[in-house]
Each structure stands twice: as C-alpha cells, then as structure tokens.
Amino acid sequence: MEDERSFLDICGGPLTLRRRYYSSYCREFGLSSARLSLRSVTAVTCTVWLVAYGLFTLFENSMILSSAIFITILGLLGYLHFVKIDQETLLIIDSLGIQMTSSYASGKESTTFIEMDKVKDVIVNEAIYMKVIYYLCILLKDPVKPHEISQVVPVFQSTKPRLDCLIEVYRSCQEILARQKATSASP
Amino acid sequence: MVLKAFFPTCCASADSGLLVGRWVPEQNSAVVLAVVHFPFIPIQVKELLAQVQKVSQVHVAVLGTWCHRQQEPKESLGHFLEGLGAIFSHDPWLQLCRERGTRFWSCKAYHQVSTTPDKSIEDQVMLIFYDQRKVLLSWLHPPTVLPDCQAGDTTASAGGLADIFDTVARSEVLFQNNQFDEGPVRLSHWQSEGVEASILVELTKQASGPVCLLLASLLSLLSAVSACRLWKLWPLSFIRRKLSTCEQLQHRLKHLSLIFSTQKAQSPTQLMKKANMLVSVLIDVALGLLLLSWLHNNNRIGQLANALVPVADRVAEELQHLLQWLMGAPAGLKMNRALDQVLGRFFLYHIHLWISYIHLMSPFIEHILWHVGLSACLGMTVALSILSDIIALLTFHIYCFYVYGARLYCLKIYGLSSLWRLFRGKKWNVLRQRVDSCSYDLDQLFIGTLLFTILVFLLPTTALYYLVFTLLRLLVVTVQGMIHLLVDLINSLPLYSLGLRLCRPYRLAAGVKFRVLEQEAGRPLRLLMQGITVLCAFLPL
C-alpha cells in the first residue's frame, strides 16, 4: 500500500512524504525535498564567471578564467555528492530494527541501521531556534542501564519537515513499537 | 514477535531438501546454513549434525523443509515433506517453498502445540536473504570466544544480529563438505561448488610458521642487544636520546617483532594493524632501495660531498655578515658599543672554529656519506632520520649561539626582576614562595639601583641578539620538524586498509543495511541484507 502527500518544511519549501506499508510490521517513509533548480545553478555560475572575467580584464592572466571554470565544476560536483540530500527514508521493521537512508543528488546513499534491542522509543521533540521547531528522534537504550537513555538520534535532519508531517510518521512508528513491546512483554 | 528466517542467497536455486541451521529462540529467528538434498538417510543426517555440533559448538539442527517446484507440482512430494516433520522434530517447523514462474515465496511455520497448520502464522514469517561468503569474509561477528568458556554458552551476550553472524562464522566445518566429496549426505551451501582457497595463500600459510620462528628469534636477539646495560652508560645514552635515527630504528624493530611474532592475531583490528605495519615496512624498504639506486648512479654521492663544504662555508659567511650587521646599527637601533663588540667578537670566533673543523673533516666526508647512504636500504624513514641528524650536526653552531643568547638573556631578566624588587623595597621569600617587604641598608639600595640601571640600558642589546638567534634556531627546527613529519607519515599511513577499501570493500563492513524486495500482498516479506562499508572503523593506528 503506497500513498503520497505534500507537506512543507521549516523554511517553507515543498516536501513530499511517500508512505509504503509493506505489511503490518514493516513500513517505510520517504521524504523528498525539492531538486536542485536550474535557476540557482545558472545564477551562481554566472556570478562566478562574471567576477572571474572582471579579474581577468584587471590582471590579463588567463589562468583566472580556467581556474574559475575548474572551481565551478568541482564545486558543483562536490555539492551534489556531499551536500545536497534529495531524499531521506525511514524503514521500520518490527523485531528487526530501524534503518535510515539519505540519498544524495549524485546517487550516493548513506545508511544507518539501529537494532530493535537498542531502541527505547521514538518521540517528537521540540527545540527553540529563532522559533519553536519540532524534530523526530529515536531514543537508544544504555546497554549497561536499560532504563536510561544513552543516545538521541535525530531523523530527517536535512529535509526538516513540520509538525503535521512528523505526526503522521510518529503515529505509524508508535503502532509498530506498541506491537513490538506487546510481543516482547509476553513470553 | 515476527519469525525471521535468514536464508543464504546461494541456496535460492538449490533443489528441494531439508533446511539445516540453528534456531535462536531469544530473537525468534532461524538461521539456515545449508540445504540437504534427496536422497538421504535420516540416521546419517543426524550423525553429520551431531559431528558438526561437537566440532563447532553450534547447535545445528534440521529446521524444516525446502521445496523448489521447478517441474509440475508433485502432490506426493508435498505429503512426503510434511511427513519428514515427524522424523526430525523441531519447534517451530519451517516449510519454505518457491514456485516456478513467480518470484514470490511461501513460508509456513508450524508450532508443535497445534496439530493442524495454522494459516494465520504465514503472515508473520519474514525472509531475510544474506550472502554467506560476504558475511564470513567481513568479520561482522564478534571475536572468537575464549576456549575456557562453557561449551553450552553459545549465546554469549552479543545480542541481536551479531549472534547471527557468529553462528554463520562458527559453522565453518559444515561448509567443508562439497559436492566432490563422496560423503553420504549431499549439501548445498556457498562452498558446495568447491572450497574456496588459493594455492599461494596456502603455501604462504605453511611457510610462514618456520619463517616467523626464525625471524622472531633473530629480532629478539637484536632487541636483547639493544636493551643491554652497555647503552645506559652516560655518553652513549645521551647520544642515543638525541639522535632521531636511533629512535626510528628502535621503532622499526618493535614493528618488525610485532609482525613476526609467533602469536596469531586475536581480533580483526589486530590483524589489520599487523598488515598495515607490514605494508608500511615493505613500502619503506622499496622507497629506500630506490633512493639508494638513485644515489649511487652517476656518482651523486661524490657530487653531494663536494657541494657540502662550500654550502657550509656559505652559511658561515652569511652568519658573519649577520653578526657584522648586529655589531653596527641594526635596523636603526643604537646598541651599547662595548657589549656589542664583545658579543660579536665572541660569536665570530666561534664561527671561525666551526669552519676550521668542517675543513678538517672534508677529506672524510665522501666516505662517511657513502656508508651512510648504504643505510637507506633499511628504509626511507631511516635515510630521512639520518638527513635530519646531519642537518642538526651541521647547524650545531646555530644551536650553540641560541643557547648562549638565551642564557645571557635569562640571567639578565632574573637580575632585572630581583633588582626591580629591591628598587621598590621588596624581596622574594624563598621559604614562603612569595614577595615580602624588606628594609634594606642605604649602601645596598645604592649599589642595587646602580646595577639595575646598568642592566636596563644593556637590555636592548642582549634582547636583540637573543631574538635573532632564536629565530635562526626556529628555522632549523622547522626544517627538522618537516622531515620528522614525513617520517611519521610513512610510519603510520594505513595503506593496507586503504587498499582493502579500494579492492575488497566488503572486508571492511561495519554494519548491515536491509532492502525490501518486491512483495505481494499475502506473501511473506522478503528483505536483502547487505554490508555497509565504512573506512574509519578499521583504522587502528
């Protein structure tokens, strides 16, 4: 079962939440942000090249132009490969764990998997940064003291959705975690 | 909890048969290690499993049946498979089935409590495919359990997925039977096409035993010699501390004894460390031999030796010019003429002595350089350390000047601070480590003030000499520092791990990730488990 809905992120940009229910114990949430717009790429390239051309007319050194081209290309490649995150996915599987994937614009994917034994709870926490913002995070158990929290792992850090989107994800996660707690409590 | 079945990807196309593996009750998961094909005799299968259990301490059992329907569905096969549940009793009993023509599987898990198959259980089985070869080669399992642990202690508290990997890793003996063996039972697993090995690796393993023993004894002899009491006598221990070559040689000796020690590596990080050290030593020696061949070509050593004395002369000349400049009016400052002349002449005489010494040594320089160049075969790092030591020796006079200037300046500052306290009527109390007031006699005050004024007016001269020679010394130290940085880089760059990251990324796996495969409603969920490659997890330095 799959459905898509549009939301807004903290800064007002458009987001798309894609939910897939593979089964009653396995769900996936993919948040995609807006792709790199041609307008911004053209604007930055034009600015850099105009500045380089201005320096060239001042210094009469053609190295400036070639270095400007290099910098633009390398900068764009670096931005696509290391900075621009296109989609963030949260896959939650009952009794196995939670997996978070970030896919970059160049196709690179970076994945983190947390086993269900280590997960204490999934919560929506609030932070104050110029205004109040909300973020979803996973609380991890301390291996030594099981009733204490050892780590807080925030999810959807680059796409930064607003509270309405987070509530949807939170509700689904809590359903699965409730199942998990019910089955692990019973012998 | 959902029942998880870990199934090896290599058995997905195997013929029908029995599933053999381990059941982990704490996580409600069944780890399938191999498939036993028809025909088989149940007694022999049970014997094989008991053997494997004895050797590997893994509780291997028959978990269920596997049915690969490639031809028309045979109903008799279905009943036969169900009947096997009575012979090999296991709770829960798995039935995996793959239909021809569809990519979807069906799994049923029966619990012994109910005699009739409960259809609702089918939804709750999750199939996770894993690549046996990659799991075994990527060391995701925890380090080997110590032999003095209890035999029944198989569930050592490495919870979760680490337990699964541990199971697969410890069942190596099950994977030794392949299809070319004439055994009674036919198995299917990742090595059923033949045990994966390479002749070179096996030969190296056989040869490494005696070679390691020999080298370890040689190295222990060397270490004993270097640690003997003779070296602790005063001049030798002082030289040893100051020369960076000795330190580098000792460092390398330690590395080599670690590499060739007869103890096997206990954990993957230790193995990585050893491998990194070995690669670093080999690259070092290779670079050193390259340097050696370059030096001995075209009589470069002779050219170097001939260039050395004029360079030393040039440096001395520049120093003399500098001192003449200081003795005049440096940067427009007015110096105290008498002190200036004294210090300047003292340093000039020192330079003169140094130059005569260099000229005395000049006939022997070529021989010394030639023999020192031979030491490059011990490694590039040793050659670089020798270069750094030669620079230190050649600029020894700069070091001396720095020491003289610093001592003078230090004395002057102490004197000034103490006399300044006297000027104000205070005294340093050594017992109480603080400044106390004190009443001085008139003549003490008079002489003290006189000395204070003298020192104050001589201050710019001494300060300038101190500044100039400190800067020179800093320059030499910077050059030596860069050489040491290069040596450290060669020593500690983990080239083996970097090479592994480029060529065999699955060996550096530090975690797993799951991918949901194509799924149909009503069918069990299928996931593919893969390793995540991380460079930083295996960088022990």
Side-chain angles (χ1 to χ4, degrees):
Chain A
M1 185 193 111
E2 193 174 329
D3 75 351
E4 263 189 45
R5 278 183 61 180
S6 314
F7 289 97
L8 289 177
D9 73 5
I10 294 179
C11 314
L15 284 180
T16 319
L17 174 70
R18 209 191 70 234
R19 281 185 298 193
R20 295 184 70 159
Y21 285 12
Y22 291 112
S23 84
S24 65
Y25 53 86
C26 175
R27 291 178 195 178
E28 189 182 41
F29 306 96
L31 262 179
S32 354
S33 53
R35 304 244 176 192
L36 191 63
S37 75
L38 192 61
R39 204 179 295 177
S40 58
V41 172
T42 325
V44 172
T45 317
C46 284
T47 330
V48 172
W49 284 3
L50 277 173
V51 166
Y53 194 68
L55 286 173
F56 170 68
T57 43
L58 210 62
F59 292 114
E60 301 290 336
N61 188 358
S62 65
M63 275 297 289
I64 298 178
L65 292 178
S66 22
S67 59
I69 294 177
F70 260 133
I71 290 172
T72 322
I73 293 182
L74 287 176
L76 185 66
L77 284 177
Y79 180 69
L80 290 178
H81 195 72
F82 294 112
V83 177
K84 178 90 179 75
I85 294 186
D86 258 350
Q87 190 186 30
E88 284 185 310
T89 318
L90 182 76
L91 174 69
I92 178 163
I93 308 172
D94 181 20
S95 81
L96 198 60
I98 305 182
Q99 173 172 291
M100 294 159 302
T101 318
S102 309
S103 346
Y104 291 82
S106 65
K108 174 173 103 158
E109 281 192 5
S110 110
T111 322
T112 327
F113 178 73
I114 304 174
E115 290 183 43
M116 207 41 114
D117 295 338
K118 296 201 189 117
V119 171
K120 191 164 189 319
D121 205 358
V122 171
I123 60 168
V124 173
N125 207 359
E126 62 180 12
I128 300 183
Y129 174 74
M130 311 294 249
K131 53 185 178 187
V132 179
I133 55 173
Y134 298 93
Y135 61 96
L136 188 75
C137 54
I138 305 176
L139 300 176
L140 299 186
K141 282 186 216 167
D142 198 14
V144 177
K145 300 176 201 164
H147 293 289
E148 289 196 6
I149 299 167
S150 79
Q151 222 185 339
V152 172
V153 179
V155 180
F156 298 138
Q157 278 188 292
S158 318
T159 42
K160 298 199 204 52
R162 285 196 183 167
L163 189 59
D164 45 2
C165 177
L166 287 177
I167 287 180
E168 299 281 340
V169 180
Y170 172 76
R171 280 210 190 107
S172 300
C173 290
Q174 284 297 329
E175 276 169 23
I176 295 194
L177 284 179
R179 260 179 65 112
Q180 149 83 11
K181 285 195 180 100
T183 47
S184 64
S186 62
Chain B
M1 241 199 265
V2 181
L3 195 146
K4 304 183 280 258
F6 288 85
F7 196 78
T9 45
C10 48
C11 298
S13 51
D15 291 335
S16 315
L18 285 177
L19 294 169
V20 160
R22 181 181 164 215
W23 168 251
V24 185
E26 296 85 23
Q27 294 158 46
N28 213 26
S29 46
V31 185
V32 175
L33 294 167
V35 174
V36 175
H37 296 296
F38 305 118
F40 58 82
I41 304 176
I43 303 285
Q44 285 175 338
V45 172
K46 286 190 186 168
E47 261 174 27
L48 174 73
L49 291 179
Q51 230 175 12
V52 168
Q53 202 165 325
K54 203 169 63 159
V55 174
S56 64
Q57 312 293 337
V58 174
H59 186 70
V60 193
V62 176
L63 296 173
T65 55
W66 158 246
C67 176
H68 192 188
R69 294 203 184 130
Q70 285 158 322
Q71 296 87 26
E72 317 84 49
K74 286 189 203 160
E75 281 312 314
S76 55
L77 194 63
H79 290 302
F80 176 56
L81 287 176
E82 281 178 26
L84 283 172
I87 308 178
F88 302 100
S89 60
H90 189 266
D91 178 28
W93 182 253
L94 282 173
Q95 281 193 351
L96 295 177
C97 185
R98 183 181 180 183
E99 315 272 345
R100 184 179 73 99
T102 65
R103 259 172 297 143
F104 302 112
W105 298 32
S106 82
C107 315
K108 295 183 203 130
Y110 302 130
H111 292 273
Q112 298 293 25
V113 204
S114 59
T115 47
T116 56
D118 193 357
K119 284 285 182 256
S120 64
I121 298 178
E122 178 164 343
D123 201 18
Q124 304 290 335
V125 179
M126 186 161 54
L127 266 179
I128 303 176
F129 296 108
Y130 70 100
D131 191 339
Q132 271 178 335
R133 179 167 177 266
K134 296 237 169 92
V135 166
L136 272 169
L137 289 178
S138 62
W139 294 320
L140 283 167
H141 50 89
T144 50
V145 184
L146 295 166
D148 52 15
C149 263
Q150 302 295 331
D153 193 16
T154 46
T155 59
S157 66
L161 292 170
D163 223 2
I164 313 285
F165 304 135
D166 194 38
T167 308
V168 177
R170 282 197 285 167
S171 333
E172 285 262 16
V173 67
L174 185 64
F175 303 136
Q176 300 296 332
N177 306 345
N178 57 14
Q179 66 187 23
F180 303 109
D181 282 343
E182 298 293 330
V185 177
R186 198 163 63 97
L187 286 172
S188 224
H189 47 74
W190 71 286
Q191 277 189 330
S192 53
E193 307 285 322
V195 175
E196 211 178 79
S198 114
I199 291 194
L200 284 172
V201 170
E202 296 299 316
L203 280 176
T204 335
K205 276 194 202 162
Q206 295 291 331
S208 68
V211 165
C212 272
L213 214 58
L214 183 67
L215 283 170
S217 50
L218 270 174
L219 287 168
S220 61
L221 196 67
L222 270 174
S223 333
V225 162
S226 76
C228 82
R229 301 282 295 274
L230 197 65
W231 297 99
K232 302 270 192 310
L233 296 176
W234 180 74
L236 286 175
S237 74
F238 179 72
I239 293 176
R240 208 172 157 196
R241 260 206 321 272
K242 292 293 175 192
L243 284 182
S244 59
T245 316
C246 299
E247 199 186 305
Q248 175 64 17
L249 281 173
Q250 229 177 349
H251 200 59
R252 275 291 181 228
L253 196 67
K254 216 166 34 166
H255 279 182
L256 282 174
S257 24
L258 192 64
I259 297 174
F260 291 117
S261 73
T262 43
Q263 251 187 338
K264 268 180 93 69
Q266 302 292 58
S267 71
T269 32
Q270 272 194 355
L271 191 65
M272 280 284 179
K273 229 199 248 188
K274 272 182 153 183
N276 280 331
M277 272 188 224
L278 183 65
V279 171
S280 141
V281 167
L282 286 175
I283 299 247
D284 199 13
V285 171
L287 282 174
L289 287 172
L290 264 176
L291 183 69
L292 196 67
S293 70
W294 179 79
L295 272 180
H296 286 260
N297 252 353
N298 298 345
N299 195 21
R300 289 244 169 73
I301 295 220
Q303 287 173 359
L304 261 178
N306 289 342
L308 207 63
V309 173
V311 161
D313 272 343
R314 181 82 197 287
V315 167
E317 220 179 280
E318 293 295 323
L319 268 179
Q320 275 171 342
H321 284 190
L322 182 71
L323 282 168
Q324 299 288 359
W325 180 67
L326 278 176
M327 288 203 315
L333 291 169
K334 188 159 190 297
M335 314 275 271
N336 181 293
R337 182 144 302 262
L339 185 61
D340 220 357
Q341 297 285 332
V342 162
L343 286 175
R345 291 224 178 93
F346 173 62
F347 289 136
L348 277 173
Y349 183 61
H350 205 116
I351 293 178
H352 173 77
L353 275 178
W354 185 253
I355 290 299
S356 342
Y357 168 67
I358 297 267
H359 280 277
L360 213 69
M361 288 269 293
S362 61
F364 307 113
I365 285 188
E366 187 171 342
H367 282 280
I368 295 176
L369 270 184
W370 195 86
H371 286 106
V372 155
L374 275 185
S375 72
C377 68
L378 285 173
M380 179 73 145
T381 45
V382 177
L384 282 172
S385 318
I386 290 186
L387 179 69
S388 149
D389 286 335
I390 288 179
I391 290 179
L393 282 176
L394 283 180
T395 54
F396 189 63
H397 48 325
I398 296 183
Y399 176 64
C400 285
F401 290 173
Y402 162 71
V403 169
Y404 301 150
R407 285 265 177 252
L408 264 175
Y409 185 70
C410 191
L411 269 172
K412 176 162 288 223
I413 294 292
Y414 276 146
L416 269 176
S417 53
S418 155
L419 288 171
W420 171 245
R421 275 183 235 122
L422 178 137
F423 195 65
R424 283 160 50 224
K426 300 216 187 281
K427 190 175 83 142
W428 175 253
N429 191 338
V430 184
L431 270 174
R432 300 272 178 113
Q433 297 285 313
R434 65 170 188 207
V435 176
D436 276 342
S437 63
C438 172
S439 60
Y440 290 101
D441 292 340
L442 193 64
D443 44 358
Q444 282 176 328
L445 275 176
F446 186 57
I447 296 183
T449 316
L450 259 181
L451 283 174
F452 178 70
T453 33
I454 292 174
L455 283 179
V456 162
F457 288 128
L458 288 180
L459 186 62
T461 316
T462 337
L464 195 69
Y465 272 91
Y466 174 64
L467 186 70
V468 166
F469 291 129
T470 311
L471 286 174
L472 272 177
R473 172 89 186 128
L474 269 179
L475 191 68
V476 172
V477 165
T478 315
V479 169
Q480 275 192 299
M482 302 280 240
I483 297 181
H484 286 160
L485 202 68
L486 201 58
V487 167
D488 278 338
L489 193 72
I490 300 181
N491 267 346
S492 57
L493 201 63
L495 288 166
Y496 181 68
S497 303
L498 284 172
L500 218 54
R501 172 73 179 91
L502 289 173
C503 308
R504 304 239 186 290
Y506 53 82
R507 294 281 285 262
L508 288 176
V512 283
K513 62 182 180 193
F514 293 89
R515 190 159 67 97
V516 182
L517 299 175
E518 211 178 311
Q519 200 231 349
E520 208 182 52
R523 297 284 190 172
L525 184 67
R526 295 182 309 144
L527 299 166
L528 176 65
M529 185 167 79
Q530 294 164 314
I532 308 175
T533 325
V534 167
L535 181 61
C536 308
F538 273 121
L539 281 184
L541 290 174

Coordinates of all heavy atoms in Angstrom, one line a residue, chain A residues 56-92:
Chain A
F56 N 40.0 39.1 -14.8 CA 40.9 38.8 -16.0 C 41.2 40.1 -16.7 O 42.3 40.4 -17.1 CB 40.1 37.8 -16.9 CG 40.8 37.7 -18.2 CD1 42.0 37.1 -18.4 CD2 40.1 38.1 -19.4 CE1 42.6 37.0 -19.6 CE2 40.7 38.0 -20.6 CZ 41.9 37.4 -20.8
T57 N 40.1 41.0 -16.8 CA 40.4 42.3 -17.5 C 41.4 43.1 -16.7 O 42.1 43.9 -17.2 CB 39.1 43.1 -17.7 OG1 38.3 43.0 -16.5 CG2 38.3 42.5 -18.9
L58 N 41.4 42.9 -15.4 CA 42.2 43.7 -14.5 C 43.7 43.2 -14.6 O 44.6 44.0 -14.7 CB 41.7 43.5 -13.1 CG 42.0 44.7 -12.1 CD1 41.3 45.9 -12.6 CD2 41.5 44.4 -10.7
F59 N 43.9 41.9 -14.6 CA 45.2 41.3 -14.5 C 45.7 40.7 -15.7 O 46.9 40.3 -15.8 CB 45.2 40.2 -13.4 CG 45.0 40.7 -12.0 CD1 43.9 40.4 -11.3 CD2 46.0 41.6 -11.4 CE1 43.7 40.9 -10.0 CE2 45.8 42.1 -10.2 CZ 44.7 41.7 -9.4
E60 N 44.9 40.5 -16.8 CA 45.3 40.0 -18.1 C 46.0 38.6 -17.9 O 47.0 38.3 -18.6 CB 46.3 40.9 -18.7 CG 45.8 42.3 -19.0 CD 44.7 42.3 -20.1 OE1 44.7 41.4 -20.9 OE2 43.9 43.2 -20.1
N61 N 45.5 37.8 -17.0 CA 46.1 36.4 -16.8 C 45.0 35.4 -17.1 O 44.0 35.4 -16.4 CB 46.6 36.3 -15.4 CG 47.4 35.0 -15.2 OD1 47.5 34.2 -16.1 ND2 47.9 34.9 -14.0
S62 N 45.2 34.6 -18.1 CA 44.1 33.6 -18.5 C 44.0 32.5 -17.5 O 43.0 31.8 -17.6 CB 44.4 33.1 -19.9 OG 45.6 32.3 -19.8
M63 N 44.9 32.3 -16.6 CA 44.8 31.3 -15.5 C 43.5 31.5 -14.7 O 42.9 30.6 -14.2 CB 46.0 31.3 -14.6 CG 47.1 30.5 -15.1 SD 46.7 28.7 -15.3 CE 46.6 28.3 -13.5
I64 N 43.2 32.8 -14.6 CA 42.0 33.1 -13.7 C 40.7 32.5 -14.3 O 39.9 31.9 -13.6 CB 41.8 34.7 -13.6 CG1 43.0 35.3 -12.9 CG2 40.6 35.0 -12.8 CD1 43.0 36.8 -12.8
L65 N 40.6 32.6 -15.7 CA 39.4 32.0 -16.3 C 39.3 30.5 -16.1 O 38.3 30.0 -15.8 CB 39.4 32.4 -17.8 CG 39.2 33.9 -18.0 CD1 39.2 34.2 -19.5 CD2 37.9 34.4 -17.5
S66 N 40.5 29.9 -16.4 CA 40.5 28.4 -16.3 C 40.2 27.9 -14.9 O 39.5 27.0 -14.6 CB 41.7 27.8 -16.9 OG 42.8 28.6 -16.9
S67 N 40.8 28.7 -13.9 CA 40.6 28.3 -12.5 C 39.2 28.5 -12.1 O 38.6 27.7 -11.4 CB 41.6 29.0 -11.6 OG 41.4 30.4 -11.7
A68 N 38.5 29.6 -12.7 CA 37.1 29.8 -12.4 C 36.3 28.6 -12.9 O 35.4 28.1 -12.2 CB 36.6 31.1 -13.0
I69 N 36.6 28.1 -14.1 CA 35.8 27.0 -14.6 C 36.0 25.8 -13.8 O 35.1 25.1 -13.4 CB 36.3 26.7 -16.1 CG1 35.9 27.9 -17.0 CG2 35.7 25.4 -16.6 CD1 36.4 27.7 -18.4
F70 N 37.3 25.5 -13.4 CA 37.6 24.4 -12.5 C 36.8 24.4 -11.2 O 36.2 23.5 -10.8 CB 39.1 24.3 -12.2 CG 39.9 23.4 -13.0 CD1 41.0 23.8 -13.5 CD2 39.4 22.1 -13.2 CE1 41.8 22.9 -14.3 CE2 40.1 21.2 -14.0 CZ 41.3 21.6 -14.5
I71 N 36.9 25.6 -10.6 CA 36.2 25.8 -9.3 C 34.7 25.6 -9.5 O 34.1 24.9 -8.6 CB 36.5 27.2 -8.7 CG1 38.0 27.3 -8.3 CG2 35.6 27.5 -7.5 CD1 38.3 28.7 -7.9
T72 N 34.1 26.1 -10.5 CA 32.7 25.9 -10.7 C 32.3 24.4 -10.8 O 31.4 23.9 -10.2 CB 32.2 26.6 -12.0 OG1 32.9 27.8 -12.1 CG2 30.7 26.8 -11.9
I73 N 33.1 23.7 -11.7 CA 32.8 22.3 -11.9 C 33.0 21.5 -10.6 O 32.1 20.7 -10.2 CB 33.6 21.7 -13.0 CG1 33.2 22.4 -14.4 CG2 33.5 20.2 -13.1 CD1 34.0 21.8 -15.5
L74 N 34.1 21.7 -10.0 CA 34.4 20.9 -8.8 C 33.4 21.3 -7.7 O 33.0 20.4 -6.9 CB 35.8 21.2 -8.3 CG 36.9 20.6 -9.1 CD1 38.3 21.0 -8.6 CD2 36.8 19.0 -9.1
G75 N 33.1 22.5 -7.6 CA 32.1 23.0 -6.6 C 30.8 22.3 -6.8 O 30.2 21.8 -5.8
L76 N 30.3 22.3 -8.0 CA 29.0 21.7 -8.3 C 29.1 20.2 -8.0 O 28.2 19.6 -7.4 CB 28.7 21.9 -9.8 CG 27.3 21.4 -10.2 CD1 26.2 22.2 -9.5 CD2 27.1 21.5 -11.7
L77 N 30.1 19.5 -8.4 CA 30.2 18.0 -8.1 C 30.3 17.8 -6.6 O 29.6 16.9 -6.1 CB 31.5 17.5 -8.8 CG 31.4 17.3 -10.3 CD1 32.8 16.8 -10.8 CD2 30.4 16.3 -10.7
G78 N 31.1 18.6 -5.9 CA 31.2 18.4 -4.5 C 29.8 18.6 -3.8 O 29.4 17.9 -2.9
Y79 N 29.1 19.7 -4.3 CA 27.8 20.0 -3.7 C 26.8 18.8 -3.9 O 26.1 18.4 -3.0 CB 27.3 21.3 -4.3 CG 26.0 21.7 -3.8 CD1 25.8 22.2 -2.5 CD2 24.8 21.7 -4.6 CE1 24.6 22.6 -2.0 CE2 23.6 22.1 -4.2 CZ 23.5 22.5 -2.9 OH 22.3 22.9 -2.4
L80 N 26.9 18.3 -5.1 CA 25.9 17.2 -5.4 C 26.2 15.9 -4.7 O 25.4 15.2 -4.3 CB 25.9 16.9 -6.9 CG 25.3 17.9 -7.8 CD1 25.4 17.5 -9.3 CD2 23.8 18.2 -7.5
H81 N 27.5 15.7 -4.5 CA 27.9 14.4 -3.9 C 28.0 14.5 -2.4 O 27.7 13.4 -1.7 CB 29.3 14.0 -4.4 CG 29.6 12.6 -4.1 ND1 29.1 11.6 -4.8 CD2 30.5 12.0 -3.3 CE1 29.6 10.4 -4.4 NE2 30.4 10.7 -3.4
F82 N 28.2 15.6 -1.8 CA 28.4 15.6 -0.3 C 27.4 16.5 0.4 O 27.2 16.3 1.6 CB 29.8 16.2 0.0 CG 30.9 15.4 -0.4 CD1 31.7 15.8 -1.5 CD2 31.2 14.1 0.1 CE1 32.8 15.0 -1.9 CE2 32.2 13.4 -0.3 CZ 33.0 13.8 -1.3
V83 N 26.7 17.4 -0.3 CA 25.8 18.3 0.5 C 24.3 18.1 0.2 O 23.5 18.1 1.1 CB 26.2 19.8 0.1 CG1 25.3 20.7 0.8 CG2 27.7 20.0 0.6
K84 N 24.0 18.0 -1.1 CA 22.6 18.1 -1.4 C 21.9 16.7 -1.2 O 22.2 15.8 -1.9 CB 22.4 18.5 -2.9 CG 21.0 18.5 -3.4 CD 20.4 19.9 -3.2 CE 19.0 20.0 -3.7 NZ 18.1 19.4 -2.8
I85 N 21.0 16.7 -0.2 CA 20.3 15.4 0.1 C 19.0 15.5 -0.6 O 18.2 16.4 -0.3 CB 20.2 15.2 1.6 CG1 21.6 15.0 2.2 CG2 19.3 14.0 1.9 CD1 21.6 14.6 3.6
D86 N 18.7 14.5 -1.5 CA 17.4 14.5 -2.2 C 16.3 13.9 -1.5 O 15.2 14.4 -1.5 CB 17.6 13.8 -3.5 CG 17.8 14.7 -4.7 OD1 17.6 15.9 -4.5 OD2 18.1 14.2 -5.8
Q87 N 16.6 12.8 -0.8 CA 15.6 12.0 -0.2 C 16.1 11.4 1.1 O 17.2 10.9 1.1 CB 15.1 10.9 -1.1 CG 13.8 10.3 -0.6 CD 13.5 9.1 -1.5 OE1 14.3 8.4 -2.1 NE2 12.2 8.8 -1.6
E88 N 15.2 11.4 2.1 CA 15.6 10.7 3.4 C 14.5 9.7 3.6 O 13.3 10.0 3.6 CB 15.7 11.7 4.5 CG 16.9 12.5 4.5 CD 17.1 13.3 5.7 OE1 16.1 14.1 6.0 OE2 18.2 13.3 6.3
T89 N 14.9 8.4 3.9 CA 14.0 7.3 4.1 C 14.1 6.8 5.5 O 15.2 6.6 6.0 CB 14.3 6.2 3.1 OG1 14.5 6.8 1.8 CG2 13.1 5.3 2.9
L90 N 13.0 6.4 6.1 CA 13.0 5.7 7.4 C 12.2 4.4 7.2 O 11.1 4.4 6.8 CB 12.2 6.6 8.4 CG 12.2 6.1 9.8 CD1 13.5 6.2 10.5 CD2 11.1 6.8 10.6
L91 N 12.9 3.3 7.4 CA 12.3 2.0 7.3 C 12.2 1.3 8.6 O 13.3 1.2 9.3 CB 13.2 1.1 6.3 CG 12.8 -0.3 6.1 CD1 11.5 -0.5 5.4 CD2 13.9 -1.1 5.4
I92 N 11.0 1.0 9.1 CA 10.9 0.5 10.4 C 10.3 -1.0 10.3 O 9.3 -1.2 9.7 CB 10.1 1.4 11.3 CG1 9.9 0.8 12.7 CG2 8.7 1.7 10.7 CD1 9.5 1.8 13.7

